Amino acid sequence: MEKLKSMVPDRLKQIVADSNADDLHSTSSSLLHFLNKLSQFHQMIRDLTDLEASLCAKNKDAALEFKQKANKCYFNGDYDTALAFYTRALRIAPINADDMDKNLVATLYLNRASLFHKIGLLMECVRDCNRALQISPSYAKAWYRRGKANAALGIYKDAIHDLDVAKNVELSLGGKKQIENELKIIVDQYEGTRSVQHIENTVRNFNEPQQINLLCVTDPDKGRGMVSPCDIPQASLVHKEEPYALIILKSCRDTHCHYCLNELPKDTVPCISCSIPLYCSQHCQVQARGETISCYRTKDGVDDSLPNNLKEYIAEVTSCSDSDPDVECFPEHKHECLGVHWPAVLPSDVVLAGRILAKFISQKRGYMECNLLGTLNLSQSYLQISPEGKLELHIYAIVLLICLQHSFGTELPINGISLSQTIILVSQIRVNAMAVVRMKSTDFHCLPDQFGKFSNIGDALTCSVDQVPVGQAIYTAGSLFNHSCQPNIHAYFLSHTLFIRATEHVAAGHPLELSYGPQVGQWACEDRLNFLEDKYSFRCQCIGCSQLNLSDLVLKAFHCVNPNCNGVVLDHCLDNSELNKLKNFPGVPRMQVLDPFLKVDELKNVAHLALELTNNSFNVQSGSCLNCGSNCDLEASDKARRKALICMKRLQDAIVSKEISTTILSDASRALGVLRSILHGYNKHIAEAEDNLAQAFSLVGDFRSARDHCKASIKILEMLYGSDHIAVGHELIKLSTIQLSLGDPSAADTINRLGLIFLRYYGSHADFIFPYLQTLKREANNLTQEGRVT
Ligand SMILES: C[S@@+](CC[C@H](N)C(=O)[O-])C[C@H]1O[C@@H](n2cnc3c(N)ncnc32)[C@H](O)[C@@H]1O
């Protein structure tokens, strides 16, 4: 891309740089005309679309090689590597390639099933047997393996049927005899009445009704936005939507399902036509691709002479009723699996644009007649894009359309109209696409099982939860919600469904605004403004960025040098945003004492009242205390802060490597003392230092100190975010696990409190998204019971 950009003559670059949305027809045509003359451009297109050289074409020889390696590892007892090789082989094995006696894919599923059986993953084993049987219904070994796994699961009725079929379809006499012996043993064991189990991974249906019909209104500063015609109680579901189009992030291709974006199980299912996507189940495979593996059944049909009950059983096990009738089944990925690899190379917003275009064409609207942009009706900010960015957009649009033409031919013309629409579409995606996120709760292996205690308490503290982006999607109605750094709604995802919930009571007609990322309490105002301008090309006009609030004042502030004053001394970097906010206040202020023990709402009131009531004599500038006017030597304080933060960084590294020496710990404790003495009591650095020390003390087994530091960190977060904010909830998880480890009965209160916060943000889905909440509640309950007994 860089090379191509550099080859564009300056005159053409300038035309593109000066272009607005109405000129794109001619600028894109001129650029296409120029690029078409470049051999490098044609080489690049060939590389992106060449079937032979592509990364994602199926390859029988390579699959056989992986299969051999897998078999070798399996027999040597290296099961992890064997699993990885079987999965790689499955990913690239063409579905209709023969392998000795059966279809290669069916053989690979069976081999992987045997491996799962060996390592005790019985459900995975049965699911892989099902997949082998859907391709090859008379595959005796697959029936036999299924029967053994079902017997081990205690599903005897199915196990007997499985072995019965296996015996009937097995060709060799010796084999039949062996199966008959196994069957006898299982019949003896049979006591239950359980019948065919549908244990294919399925997507859970979250049917919480959405009761509110929102209205779209226009705001002079923010454009269109959403409001409710009626009051909305806290925690109500205000919006639910399936994506118009969605892609998985490149970093998650091997770890998350390419359709629902959930974490992949061990028995992943590959795409039938290409080697890129992995799915968590056949359900997702079908929804994404629109085909089932049973379309590729081998010709060796089921023996007609089998008894009817067995024929029915075979039909039941090998049927694919996986497609979800409630969800529109658009084969999202289909146009990408023709052996080309541009989707793996182009940036994700360009690939997402490709999916949207493909959806339009597949819906037979006829590209030329369709008003793609009008139908999506998304906002765009082409004018705000940098000259360099405009040139990139032009080139990407041209490359994307040429790549798509390999799948759609003349259905997708490449001309000024289609190019200008594609350029605007990508620019719309940049400001309207949502990052689909998942809660990362992998650390929770450290939580005790239902009978366990927090014996390894150091680990308990690693129970932190983070949001990780896994996909990018366009939600057409969802994109009408504006941003606020002090949001009143919260967005989250189950599978790829978007849910939006009110986190506070919202009055009728009041804007419903979510955070596009930054929030008050998390980042200083200036940083939030810069981020939103860089990423979404708008100057934030939310209440948090335009009106004074305590968090923004104190987040990066220094302590007043006067020991009797709790006033705020603003840092240099707050000059632009906070000083402007202060100066814009009518009747600039002498701020009253900011007592660190006041509640955050009271503090806000103090600040607001003080600003309105006092005279104009106050000198608002960085370095002088907003309360008493004393001057602070910012340079010296800044130097001391940097030194202390270097010590804290050492501690963080030690926490990651879990090697915490007493020197590092005592240096960090001293550094915290320095930070406390020079920074304002609610400065974010102190909260982070307290949190780091809590983790470190926990790792070395000093849980009392860990608890104190964790509580101190929570106290600051409450001031910065408000006491019911989800950021406080996440810190409460840590506190509760420390308290449980100490046998501290106040754990029950902490867990109740965090339960209420999670309910506010996730409603009825809280327990599903945070399954460990139940474990924590149970532990707290046990602790209370024990307390009563002793
Ligand atoms: C996802 S769209 C939201 C809907 C949009 N207002 C519309 O009319 O379609 C994002 C765009 O809305 C505007 N916007 C959203 N939040 C804003 C805010 N806090 N301040 C100013 N503009 C905002 C910006 O133009 C931004 O690029």
Side-chain angles (χ1 to χ4, degrees):
M1 169 57 74
E2 287 311 312
K3 200 162 170 208
L4 270 190
K5 270 194 324 198
S6 69
M7 295 170 94
V8 177
D10 288 345
R11 188 190 47 82
L12 192 48
K13 270 188 191 155
Q14 196 54 48
I15 294 174
V16 171
D18 294 341
S19 62
N20 61 43
D22 298 329
D23 306 331
L24 298 176
H25 193 297
S26 71
T27 52
S28 56
S29 302
S30 309
L31 190 65
L32 176 64
H33 184 70
F34 167 76
L35 291 175
N36 261 333
K37 288 189 285 187
L38 290 183
S39 60
Q40 289 90 338
F41 175 69
H42 290 286
Q43 183 57 46
M44 176 178 159
I45 297 290
R46 266 196 302 279
D47 289 348
L48 289 170
T49 53
D50 188 355
L51 291 170
E52 297 287 302
S54 85
L55 296 170
C56 54
K58 298 280 187 186
N59 181 335
K60 184 185 170 192
D61 290 341
L64 285 170
E65 223 171 277
F66 282 130
K67 181 183 159 215
Q68 258 175 14
K69 285 184 182 165
N71 288 347
K72 202 167 164 199
C73 293
Y74 180 67
F75 289 116
N76 290 336
D78 182 358
Y79 299 128
D80 282 349
T81 319
L83 177 57
F85 279 134
Y86 280 136
T87 300
R88 284 177 77 177
L90 270 166
R91 219 165 162 174
I92 53 171
I95 186 122
N96 35 21
D98 284 341
D99 175 37
M100 295 195 297
D101 54 343
K102 288 286 162 202
N103 171 297
L104 175 58
V105 173
T107 315
L108 285 166
Y109 274 129
L110 176 67
N111 287 8
R112 200 171 68 168
S114 307
L115 172 68
F116 285 137
H117 195 189
K118 187 94 185 165
I119 59 178
L121 296 177
L122 299 173
M123 304 283 254
E124 285 82 350
C125 171
V126 176
R127 288 199 290 258
D128 265 0
C129 289
N130 292 350
R131 290 162 192 153
L133 291 168
Q134 277 160 10
I135 302 169
S136 228
S138 56
Y139 199 172
K141 286 179 186 163
W143 284 112
Y144 173 78
R145 181 62 51 204
R146 191 177 193 274
K148 296 282 284 177
N150 269 330
L153 281 164
I155 308 172
Y156 292 111
K157 205 169 168 186
D158 285 2
I160 292 166
H161 276 124
D162 291 337
L163 291 182
D164 213 356
V165 180
K167 190 183 72 178
N168 277 284
V169 293
E170 170 61 44
L171 299 177
S172 76
L173 280 177
K176 277 186 194 287
K177 190 84 206 135
Q178 191 199 340
I179 298 169
E180 209 165 285
N181 291 340
E182 299 269 1
L183 192 53
K184 272 189 198 134
I185 299 169
I186 291 169
V187 169
D188 287 346
Q189 289 169 339
Y190 171 49
E191 338 148 316
T193 52
R194 295 163 76 180
S195 60
V196 171
Q197 303 285 308
H198 291 283
I199 52 177
E200 177 63 36
N201 275 332
T202 47
V203 177
R204 234 178 96 170
N205 213 355
F206 297 96
N207 258 343
E208 185 179 332
Q210 179 197 325
Q211 317 252 335
I212 304 157
N213 285 323
L214 302 180
L215 302 174
C216 181
V217 295
T218 303
D219 173 284
D221 293 325
K222 304 175 190 166
R224 293 169 302 171
M226 291 298 214
V227 298
S228 161
C230 55
D231 284 6
I232 304 177
Q234 180 177 297
S236 315
L237 184 62
V238 296
H239 186 68
K240 181 178 163 188
E241 189 180 355
E242 294 299 322
Y244 183 82
L246 159 132
I247 52 156
I248 189 166
L249 295 189
K250 287 188 186 133
S251 56
C252 298
R253 283 180 163 218
D254 289 338
T255 52
H256 289 74
C257 173
H258 288 225
Y259 181 73
C260 73
L261 302 183
N262 288 337
E263 229 170 288
L264 285 168
K266 291 207 184 291
D267 59 319
T268 51
V269 183
C271 173
I272 288 171
S273 312
C274 80
S275 63
I276 296 287
L278 286 174
Y279 302 105
C280 66
S281 61
Q282 277 175 271
H283 173 96
C284 285
Q285 183 199 43
V286 171
Q287 292 295 133
R289 179 68 177 88
E291 274 182 5
T292 63
I293 52 173
S294 48
C295 304
Y296 294 89
R297 263 171 208 243
T298 47
K299 291 188 187 65
D300 53 337
V302 178
D303 184 351
D304 223 23
S305 64
L306 284 179
N308 278 344
N309 67 329
L310 285 192
K311 278 199 271 187
E312 276 164 27
Y313 183 73
I314 293 171
E316 195 174 349
V317 169
T318 60
S319 74
C320 266
S321 54
D322 259 317
S323 136
D324 185 344
D326 295 337
V327 179
E328 182 196 6
C329 183
F330 165 69
E332 290 218 21
H333 157 76
K334 192 171 178 178
H335 64 283
E336 292 169 20
C337 51
L338 298 172
V340 291
H341 67 280
W342 59 264
V345 177
L346 297 182
S348 52
D349 39 17
V350 179
V351 182
L352 186 53
R355 295 228 170 167
I356 293 175
L357 288 165
K359 187 163 179 169
F360 255 76
I361 298 163
S362 307
Q363 285 171 343
K364 302 267 179 259
R365 296 183 190 196
Y367 186 83
M368 288 303 278
E369 293 89 63
C370 81
N371 177 4
L372 167 76
L373 301 177
T375 308
L376 285 178
N377 201 12
L378 302 171
S379 64
Q380 51 100 354
S381 50
Y382 182 77
L383 264 190
Q384 279 84 47
I385 296 173
S386 67
E388 184 97 339
K390 284 180 180 173
L391 182 59
E392 256 180 33
L393 268 187
H394 273 69
I395 299 178
Y396 277 133
I398 291 170
V399 171
L400 176 66
L401 286 192
I402 297 178
C403 289
L404 280 175
Q405 232 188 18
H406 280 253
S407 317
F408 294 103
T410 50
E411 272 186 278
L412 179 61
I414 301 179
N415 53 33
I417 302 173
S418 59
L419 282 171
S420 60
Q421 290 214 4
T422 307
I423 293 170
I424 293 295
L425 177 62
V426 180
S427 75
Q428 289 178 331
I429 287 173
R430 292 198 175 156
V431 288
N432 288 280
M434 281 190 169
V436 181
V437 295
R438 286 286 179 275
M439 301 312 294
K440 191 175 151 218
S441 55
T442 43
D443 289 342
F444 276 80
H445 65 273
C446 56
L447 278 174
D449 63 26
Q450 55 188 16
F451 309 109
K453 280 236 135 232
F454 283 95
S455 50
N456 184 0
I457 267 327
D459 280 348
L461 196 73
T462 62
C463 300
S464 54
V465 241
D466 287 323
Q467 281 202 335
V468 279
V470 290
Q472 200 186 11
I474 285 289
Y475 296 88
T476 43
S479 67
L480 288 170
F481 288 90
N482 283 323
H483 161 87
S484 171
C485 297
Q486 286 185 311
N488 53 12
I489 50 174
H490 169 69
Y492 61 93
F493 305 85
L494 291 173
S495 177
H496 51 220
T497 311
L498 164 71
F499 289 84
I500 298 184
R501 209 172 272 283
T503 50
E504 57 191 59
H505 175 93
V506 185
H510 194 77
L512 290 159
E513 294 179 335
L514 47 84
S515 166
Y516 292 0
Q519 295 201 24
V520 168
Q522 181 190 16
W523 291 357
C525 186
E526 194 71 14
D527 298 336
R528 301 196 305 266
L529 288 169
N530 289 340
F531 173 87
L532 291 166
E533 230 165 338
D534 275 3
K535 184 140 195 246
Y536 297 102
S537 313
F538 70 90
R539 180 89 186 156
C540 185
Q541 311 275 350
C542 82
I543 191 164
C545 293
S546 49
Q547 289 186 17
L548 193 70
N549 65 71
L550 181 81
S551 305
D552 283 348
L553 278 181
V554 296
L555 188 93
K556 284 186 169 179
F558 288 93
H559 202 290
C560 178
V561 283
N562 177 350
N564 299 318
C565 176
N566 275 322
V568 169
V569 180
L570 291 183
D571 192 1
H572 298 294
C573 63
L574 296 181
D575 275 6
N576 291 337
S577 53
E578 293 320 299
L579 295 186
N580 275 340
K581 279 200 241 168
L582 281 163
K583 281 174 188 160
N584 288 337
F585 248 80
V588 174
R590 172 175 292 277
M591 222 145 80
Q592 301 295 325
V593 174
L594 285 171
D595 181 338
F597 302 107
L598 280 179
K599 291 260 180 310
V600 71
D601 287 345
E602 293 171 35
L603 271 165
K604 278 182 190 161
N605 290 337
V606 169
H608 282 273
L609 279 175
L611 293 169
E612 279 162 20
L613 292 180
T614 50
N615 60 44
N616 274 331
S617 64
F618 192 74
N619 183 19
V620 179
Q621 61 177 13
S622 54
S624 80
C625 172
L626 289 182
N627 179 44
C628 71
S630 304
N631 270 325
C632 167
D633 179 354
L634 272 193
E635 215 169 296
S637 297
D638 192 39
K639 212 166 153 195
R641 174 180 64 178
R642 281 169 200 268
K643 219 171 140 192
L645 292 180
I646 290 172
C647 278
M648 296 313 306
K649 175 75 180 71
R650 259 186 235 129
L651 180 69
Q652 284 162 10
D653 293 343
I655 292 170
V656 173
S657 62
K658 297 207 167 152
E659 283 173 12
I660 299 167
S661 68
T662 39
T663 324
I664 287 182
L665 199 50
S666 59
D667 283 354
S669 298
R670 259 197 306 280
L672 174 64
V674 173
L675 292 177
R676 280 182 182 151
S677 70
I678 54 167
L679 301 181
H680 189 274
Y682 305 147
N683 186 304
K684 192 85 191 271
H685 284 311
I686 304 188
E688 281 161 8
E690 298 279 13
D691 180 52
N692 290 154
L693 277 156
Q695 291 196 51
F697 275 116
S698 178
L699 282 170
V700 299
D702 180 352
F703 306 117
R704 286 179 198 286
S705 302
R707 181 176 56 188
D708 293 346
H709 285 293
C710 196
K711 281 185 177 172
S713 156
I714 289 172
K715 210 166 196 172
I716 302 173
L717 295 184
E718 285 172 344
M719 288 300 173
L720 293 175
Y721 289 96
S723 53
D724 296 329
H725 195 277
I726 192 72
V728 175
H730 289 164
E731 202 66 14
L732 286 171
I733 296 175
K734 295 183 185 173
L735 178 62
S736 67
T737 52
I738 300 172
Q739 288 170 325
L740 284 173
S741 319
L742 279 167
D744 176 349
S746 44
D749 289 342
T750 309
I751 291 162
N752 267 344
R753 203 181 138 197
L754 79 87
L756 289 175
I757 294 179
F758 282 13
L759 205 64
R760 184 178 166 198
Y761 280 77
Y762 297 95
S764 62
H765 302 140
D767 282 342
F768 176 76
I769 293 181
F770 303 99
Y772 49 83
L773 262 181
Q774 293 303 327
T775 317
L776 289 174
K777 284 180 192 159
R778 210 168 35 233
E779 279 296 308
N781 212 9
N782 290 347
L783 203 65
T784 321
Q785 303 283 335
E786 280 170 25
R788 277 200 204 112
V789 173
T790 49

